[in-house]
Amino acid sequence: MPPRESKKPDVELDVRGLNCPLPLLKARKALAGMSAGQTLKLISTDPASVPDLEAFCRMTPHEIVEQSQGGGEYLFLLRKG
């Protein structure tokens, strides 16, 4: 497991209860309003958000800095590219 980011994320997005494709769309919209290098913390309950966000980051300059799951929730820390 990679070391946890010590800095507080610049933006936090709670998309619990929303299903595909809403978590991805809301993450994309939030990232669009951020500056390069800033981080977005996203919490989702949709299992499809895992492959969706991984594919999204492969196709864009954004990266997943941290990813974990537990208790039916999926946590992502994304860095805007």
Side-chain angles (χ1 to χ4, degrees):
M1 182 180 229
R4 184 165 176 83
E5 290 278 302
S6 57
K7 183 177 158 275
K8 184 180 189 298
D10 297 291
V11 176
E12 293 191 29
L13 187 59
D14 184 344
V15 294
R16 288 180 276 204
L18 299 179
N19 293 321
C20 181
L22 290 174
L24 174 61
L25 295 175
K26 290 190 176 284
R28 186 171 68 181
K29 184 176 180 179
L31 286 163
M34 296 167 60
S35 300
Q38 287 189 308
T39 54
L40 168 68
K41 178 181 177 181
L42 182 134
I43 304 168
S44 175
T45 50
D46 181 15
S49 61
V50 175
D52 285 353
L53 286 168
E54 288 172 350
F56 172 69
C57 287
R58 278 195 304 273
M59 295 184 289
T60 64
H62 313 308
E63 72 173 299
I64 297 175
V65 177
E66 184 180 325
Q67 180 179 340
S68 62
Q69 72 179 62
E73 294 185 349
Y74 302 88
L75 176 109
F76 301 88
L77 187 61
L78 307 174
R79 180 175 293 122
K80 179 169 175 141

